[in-house]
Amino acid sequence: MLDWKGWIEVAKNWSRLKSNTHRVLAMNRRNLHLIYPNNPRRFFPQADDKIYTKEIMEKAGVPVPKTHRVYRYFYQLESLESDFEGVKDFVIKPAHGKQGGGIRVISERQGNDWVEVSGERHTTEDIKAHIYDIIFGIYSFDLHDQALIEERLIQHEEVNWLSPGGLADIRVILLKGKPVMAMTRLPTKASHGKANLHQGALGVGIDMATGRTIRAIHHGREVFHHPDTGREVVGAVLPYWSEVLSVARRAAEAVDLGYLGVDISLTPQGPSLLEINARPGLEIQNANLTGIMERLAEPAEGLFEY
Amino acid sequence: MRLFTASPNQRRTVYFSLVAFLVFFPLGIMAYKLFVLDYPLAGLIPAVSYSTDVTMQVTGHGDDMMLRTYLPRSDFRQTVTEEANASGAFTLTFENDGLNRVGVWRGERVTGTHTLHYTYTAQGTHVRYVIPDHLEIPQVYPAGLKEYLASEEGVPVSDPLIAQTTAQLFPKGKPTILEAVTTIHRFLQDQFANRDFSGYTDALTALKLREASCNGKSRLFVALARKMNLPARLVGGVVMESGSKRTSHQWVEVYVNGHWVPFDTINNHYMELPANFLTLYYGDQVLFRHSTNVNFQYHFNMNKRLVPKREVQNKLRDSVLNIFNLYDVFQRIGISANLLKIILMIPFGALVVVIFRNVVGMETFGTFLPALIASAARETGLVWGLLAFFTIILVCSFVRRALDWLHLLHSPKMGIMLTLVVLIILGLTVLGVNLSLFDLAHVSLFPIAIMAITAERFAIMEAEQGLGKAMKIMLATLVVITACYVVMDSLFLQSLVLAFQELLLVLIALNLWLGKWVGMRLTEFLRFRYLILRGEEVK
């Protein structure tokens, strides 16, 4: 917003920008024409509650990370020591977390301590306190929440080459069961290993037919290389691409949300669904340099404009 | 559960009918008020008032101290409201001195320099008199007017020089009242030079020099009028105008047939007085008196303020629409009209916020927070309001991070934040009073709970997305608060909505329209500019 050079460009190209807005799906139209008619409010928990999402997906046979345990109440934390016996690595997630908040990825055990992927060491008491915070609702803005302990996914080695700094995910946007657009998000040091574009992860647009990466953006600017490794991220072909799209389709079929974003990770065994989003963001268009409106065959039904 | 279903066509019909109703129904009521009830459009033009701060500075050397000055009174011509005193260790008492009201400040064993403030808001009206030309000067007056005919210090009515002058001015002897006051006014206005001299000039000196400042001219006017058997008195006051001034002013009133008619021979106000003349006292007085050796300094700081007129509302009383007369309703339960005005303006602030979010595309803290802060900032003024808001949010979010480190549960933590907001607000109020920043002191009207929640959001955003992002949204919030303030402070809108409260329905219609608007937000042009222009040259 304080990008004054950008504003000058906007001003200079105003008439051409104005006449080509139909390409882009912008926020007002996304809400009014895609989310409200396709995602009735009562089905939002299917996406917002990660435990519920996993239940639905498991029933529909969509691959998801294995759940070790769910902590719903404070008293359940008493058995934490024994619950984690024999467990080497795991992920803690708040069921209602937003934008990756409250997620801890534990990669190994050293003596009595747990080591996070970042290298940070935690005692069992620290882990307990974190789960306590989650249940209390720190990461879900005042809701009593549940803490989900699940299997830590190992990344497919080709994806790991692109994204050694953390678990990359593939976001596929679907409308009425049909994949519309996709990108993969590669964590960076700046994003603290999180696949979150706002925090500095790379957004990489994907050719829907082939799974080839076509364009990358970092903080909204086009790049070609990973800022941490210097490796080229454009032109790579993602493994298991047709399986990724098929998992995304099956996930979309399993829920009652007509317009959604499906987040998938690639393991050596194939795609695994991380979560779904009932209000998928718009930055995917910049990663692909293509507007979502250009991909929608017909205008959304049942709407009127003035 | 679905409450009701509808086809797109039905929905469209309901939507358009609703918008049409919400536009045309209020317009109908407005037309009724304007053409049937005959609302005066002039009533929509705001009235002028001046918030005045009388600042007095003294330096003590360990002795008891006394200061006194005349304070204005409300009368048929001027209204004085919102009086407030801030005098630190000095105690204020009010005394009556004939027609005048005196403020007396006393301090015991005062050392060092002290600044005293007495503030009020004054609103005047322009008055003009007409004296019938046949009216004779009466031979006798009621006993109560005797003092206004007598000689006094500086006004030697019986001096031969005064008699000689009236003889020259009225060679034919007995003029009518109108002839007498007109001749004296023109004599002083046209034949005496105005001098910008703040010292004391008596009537005879003024007469001999043929030049004088306001007090000399006024004394001579009084002396000549009294000599002609017209009761007359000096009036002291200030000419209200924005800015800081140290000069007071004097003019004259002549008693005619039960009325005191004003004359000002410095500014040539003949039987009239402008709205910005504020009367402080009657008689030949000194505006400020004080103990000796205190290095007394004073000035008047005045700010012009516009206030909406309420006269139009009175038209409503006699009509069928009177049940909607919010003024009467609010008055009956003792809630000030000022609060009514604030409430009526909040939907306008909300509309500004909606436009900034959905049309401009600026993200702010809290959906309607900017409108609420802007309405609270009415009392502090915009600059102090923004500063106070910024300070409170920053300090609280900093403390929240410290509390985070302690690992506290959420609700008790929010309890601490809320208490902290209260403490900061109290601190700013005390600071404001002590530094004589009275506007800042009104920060206590800020919505406390909302401030605490905003500080929490700021802290979360800072932790999750960095200080840069949080500051960006803070800046956007300040911008939207400013925009809300400007709109909500618009006297034209205030006057309009006070007279036509049905306009709020039009605001609903506007929101309905914005609620169906799917255009690109302004910031999205920035965000997607390369995508939209891809393959083309970007200039």
Side-chain angles (χ1 to χ4, degrees):
Chain A
M1 228 181 56
L2 298 172
D3 174 11
W4 59 274
K5 277 184 186 162
W7 281 115
I8 290 172
E9 285 181 9
V10 169
K12 281 184 176 167
N13 297 287
W14 180 250
S15 59
R16 280 191 296 153
L17 284 168
K18 195 84 182 74
S19 56
N20 284 308
T21 52
H22 57 270
R23 290 176 178 173
V24 183
L25 176 65
M27 193 66 87
N28 291 335
R29 188 182 291 277
R30 182 201 73 171
N31 292 343
L32 207 54
H33 287 184
L34 292 172
I35 294 186
Y36 299 158
N38 292 303
N39 299 354
R41 190 95 214 171
R42 64 186 184 284
F43 297 129
F44 270 40
Q46 294 180 350
D48 290 346
D49 182 340
K50 293 194 179 75
I51 295 170
Y52 186 26
T53 308
K54 280 182 88 171
E55 277 172 22
I56 296 170
M57 294 307 162
E58 276 168 351
K59 237 178 247 169
V62 178
V64 287
K66 213 166 71 197
T67 303
H68 287 316
R69 199 187 155 129
V70 174
Y71 291 99
R72 290 196 164 82
Y73 306 104
F74 296 127
Y75 74 84
Q76 293 175 324
L77 284 170
E78 285 168 22
S79 60
L80 186 113
E81 298 266 8
S82 54
D83 292 343
F84 280 75
E85 227 160 88
V87 178
K88 191 165 74 46
D89 55 347
F90 57 91
V91 179
I92 311 173
K93 285 180 181 174
H96 285 92
K98 286 185 178 73
Q99 295 184 334
I103 295 180
R104 294 265 190 284
V105 183
I106 306 296
S107 57
E108 60 178 312
R109 185 157 202 172
Q110 280 184 10
N112 282 327
D113 286 358
W114 302 93
V115 184
E116 224 181 312
V117 274
S118 60
E120 218 178 316
R121 293 172 80 97
H122 298 285
T123 63
T124 306
E125 278 310 301
D126 291 339
I127 299 287
K128 208 182 253 185
H130 184 64
I131 297 176
Y132 202 89
D133 280 355
I134 290 176
I135 295 175
F136 197 77
I138 300 260
Y139 299 99
S140 53
F141 301 96
D142 262 352
L143 290 165
H144 170 87
D145 202 3
Q146 300 161 20
L148 174 64
I149 314 294
E150 65 180 21
E151 162 196 17
R152 174 184 163 228
L153 293 182
I154 304 298
Q155 199 155 235
H156 189 285
E157 71 183 301
E158 283 175 47
V159 180
N160 204 49
W161 185 85
L162 283 176
S163 172
L167 190 70
D169 71 0
I170 298 167
R171 155 71 58 95
V172 183
I173 287 185
L174 301 98
L175 177 64
K176 303 206 167 106
K178 293 190 187 99
V180 174
M181 199 173 272
M183 72 167 161
T184 177
R185 294 178 291 199
L186 314 180
T188 60
K189 272 185 195 144
S191 78
H192 302 288
K194 285 185 178 144
N196 185 328
L197 297 187
H198 289 299
Q199 290 181 8
L202 291 181
V204 185
I206 301 173
D207 176 45
M208 295 301 282
T210 60
R212 183 183 297 274
T213 59
I214 51 174
R215 186 173 192 264
I217 51 164
H218 188 219
H219 283 305
R221 290 179 196 288
E222 181 165 22
V223 293
F224 296 91
H225 303 276
H226 195 291
D228 300 338
T229 63
R231 288 175 193 159
E232 207 168 340
V233 291
V234 177
V237 177
L238 294 174
Y240 293 118
W241 181 245
S242 56
E243 284 85 347
V244 168
L245 290 182
S246 123
V247 163
R249 278 196 202 94
R250 273 150 62 201
E253 256 167 53
V255 291
D256 299 292
L257 302 164
Y259 181 72
L260 75 167
V262 175
D263 293 347
I264 291 166
S265 263
L266 280 172
T267 71
Q269 291 77 41
S272 179
L273 181 133
L274 292 176
E275 58 182 88
I276 60 173
N277 195 318
R279 316 163 193 79
L282 304 170
E283 198 59 15
I284 193 170
Q285 302 177 102
N286 277 333
N288 282 282
L289 204 65
T290 306
I292 286 177
M293 297 308 290
E294 301 174 78
R295 296 263 172 97
L296 300 184
E298 70 246 48
E301 297 159 26
L303 301 163
F304 64 91
E305 293 186 47
Y306 45 82
Chain B
M1 190 185 69
R2 279 200 172 175
L3 286 179
F4 50 86
T5 52
S7 74
N9 269 336
Q10 285 171 308
R11 223 188 281 250
R12 182 203 303 250
T13 311
V14 170
Y15 176 84
F16 283 112
S17 324
L18 199 57
V19 171
F21 172 77
L22 291 170
V23 171
F24 291 114
F25 177 67
L27 288 183
I29 299 183
M30 279 178 78
Y32 180 79
K33 284 178 171 175
L34 280 172
F35 299 117
V36 182
L37 296 185
D38 209 15
Y39 266 37
L41 277 177
L44 299 180
I45 300 162
V48 177
S49 77
Y50 290 86
S51 75
T52 306
D53 175 5
V54 188
T55 307
M56 296 163 281
Q57 200 186 61
V58 286
T59 306
H61 306 283
D63 299 322
D64 290 355
M65 201 184 280
M66 201 261 298
L67 292 171
R68 47 185 288 143
T69 188
Y70 293 97
L71 300 174
R73 276 190 152 135
S74 292
D75 58 25
F76 73 99
R77 198 188 71 80
Q78 64 188 32
T79 318
V80 180
T81 51
E82 298 176 84
E83 289 183 81
N85 174 54
S87 54
F90 288 77
T91 49
L92 167 65
T93 49
F94 295 101
E95 290 173 8
N96 278 317
D97 172 12
L99 291 172
N100 302 324
R101 190 166 70 116
V102 190
V104 184
W105 287 265
R106 288 187 178 84
E108 289 178 11
R109 290 185 292 281
V110 181
T111 51
T113 302
H114 297 262
T115 307
L116 289 70
H117 292 271
Y118 194 80
T119 53
Y120 48 81
T121 300
Q123 191 179 341
T125 38
H126 172 232
V127 286
R128 183 197 294 274
Y129 292 84
V130 177
I131 302 176
D133 51 12
H134 57 81
L135 223 54
E136 301 283 334
I137 299 175
Q139 297 299 312
V140 268
Y141 288 97
L145 291 171
K146 215 168 195 173
E147 60 171 308
Y148 301 115
L149 290 162
S151 258
E152 57 181 299
E153 174 85 43
V155 186
V157 180
S158 41
D159 191 280
L161 218 49
I162 299 294
Q164 191 189 323
T165 308
T166 52
Q168 283 167 1
L169 287 174
F170 306 103
K172 280 186 271 172
K174 286 177 70 181
T176 62
I177 294 180
L178 186 62
E179 281 167 355
V181 293
T182 308
T183 309
I184 296 172
H185 181 85
R186 293 266 55 100
F187 174 61
L188 281 159
Q189 181 67 48
D190 301 340
Q191 299 192 26
F192 283 67
N194 286 343
R195 277 201 53 197
D196 196 10
F197 166 64
S198 60
Y200 181 95
T201 311
D202 64 38
L204 293 181
T205 311
L207 184 59
K208 285 172 197 157
L209 294 174
R210 292 265 156 166
E211 60 174 32
S213 64
C214 59
N215 73 70
K217 275 193 169 185
S218 298
R219 285 193 188 92
L220 181 54
F221 195 116
V222 171
L224 294 171
R226 287 180 183 177
K227 184 71 192 170
M228 298 305 294
N229 204 34
L230 285 166
R233 65 186 182 189
L234 286 161
V235 186
V238 281
V239 179
M240 299 186 284
E241 50 207 350
S242 275
S244 180
K245 60 157 61 184
R246 296 175 36 82
T247 40
S248 56
H249 188 47
Q250 282 184 30
W251 59 94
V252 170
E253 286 177 357
V254 178
Y255 180 85
V256 181
N257 215 6
H259 299 278
W260 286 99
V261 181
F263 295 86
D264 174 359
T265 54
I266 292 283
N267 303 304
N268 199 14
H269 297 307
Y270 167 67
M271 306 204 294
E272 68 175 323
L273 210 55
N276 66 332
F277 274 49
L278 179 70
T279 304
L280 293 175
Y281 61 84
Y282 296 101
D284 199 349
Q285 317 286 357
V286 178
L287 182 52
F288 292 97
R289 288 178 189 280
H290 50 84
S291 316
T292 51
N293 193 24
V294 296
N295 190 24
F296 178 78
Q297 313 244 5
Y298 74 92
H299 50 261
F300 292 89
N301 284 313
M302 298 192 204
N303 272 310
K304 188 175 179 174
R305 287 210 308 215
L306 297 170
V307 284
K309 284 182 198 154
R310 271 190 272 155
E311 289 89 327
V312 280
Q313 284 293 318
N314 296 335
K315 292 265 181 185
L316 206 55
R317 291 225 167 89
D318 311 319
S319 84
V320 282
L321 291 176
N322 195 36
I323 43 167
F324 299 115
N325 192 334
L326 284 173
Y327 275 111
D328 281 357
V329 172
F330 268 59
Q331 228 159 36
R332 245 180 276 161
I333 52 170
I335 295 176
S336 80
N338 204 29
L339 183 63
L340 171 65
K341 197 172 69 187
I342 291 172
I343 292 174
L344 286 173
M345 290 315 287
I346 281 181
F348 286 91
L351 182 69
V352 172
V353 172
V354 168
I355 290 170
F356 267 96
R357 287 180 85 90
N358 279 21
V359 180
V360 178
M362 266 164 84
E363 200 184 339
T364 58
F365 287 113
T367 314
F368 290 117
L369 169 95
L372 295 179
I373 298 294
S375 72
R378 272 186 44 78
E379 298 297 323
T380 59
L382 179 62
V383 176
W384 286 119
L386 291 178
L387 267 172
F389 173 73
F390 188 70
T391 312
I392 293 169
I393 299 303
L394 230 57
V395 173
C396 287
S397 68
F398 180 77
V399 170
R400 200 209 93 112
R401 298 198 70 185
L403 295 175
D404 248 7
W405 184 80
L406 286 175
H407 281 295
L408 294 187
L409 291 175
H410 186 255
S411 302
K413 196 165 66 188
M414 286 311 288
I416 297 174
M417 302 261 290
L418 199 87
T419 313
L420 195 70
V421 173
V422 171
L423 286 174
I424 298 174
I425 282 176
L426 293 178
L428 287 174
T429 307
V430 171
L431 193 76
V433 171
N434 282 331
L435 295 179
S436 310
L437 305 166
F438 296 106
D439 291 339
L440 176 62
H442 282 107
V443 71
S444 49
L445 293 171
F446 271 38
I448 291 162
I450 291 169
M451 301 288 284
I453 293 166
T454 305
E456 159 88 356
R457 294 231 180 99
F458 183 92
I460 289 177
M461 184 158 294
E462 194 214 330
E464 288 181 357
Q465 300 185 42
L467 184 64
K469 172 81 175 168
M471 280 305 214
K472 235 183 202 175
I473 295 190
M474 176 56 123
L475 187 72
T477 308
L478 295 179
V479 168
V480 180
I481 292 174
T482 307
C484 285
Y485 184 90
V486 170
V487 169
M488 294 169 78
D489 202 43
S490 148
L491 286 154
F492 174 71
L493 277 183
Q494 287 176 11
S495 305
L496 203 64
V497 76
L498 280 171
F500 306 107
Q501 288 127 21
E502 54 276 14
L503 278 174
L504 295 189
L505 296 179
V506 179
L507 289 192
I508 298 181
L510 275 171
N511 277 306
L512 279 173
W513 183 73
L514 283 167
K516 285 279 180 206
W517 188 71
V518 290
M520 252 172 85
R521 300 174 182 178
L522 197 58
T523 50
E524 287 175 329
F525 281 99
L526 181 72
R527 182 179 177 188
F528 296 119
R529 65 189 186 282
Y530 294 123
L531 160 55
I532 300 174
L533 296 174
R534 89 181 148 222
E536 296 178 44
E537 181 203 0
V538 179
K539 283 180 206 157

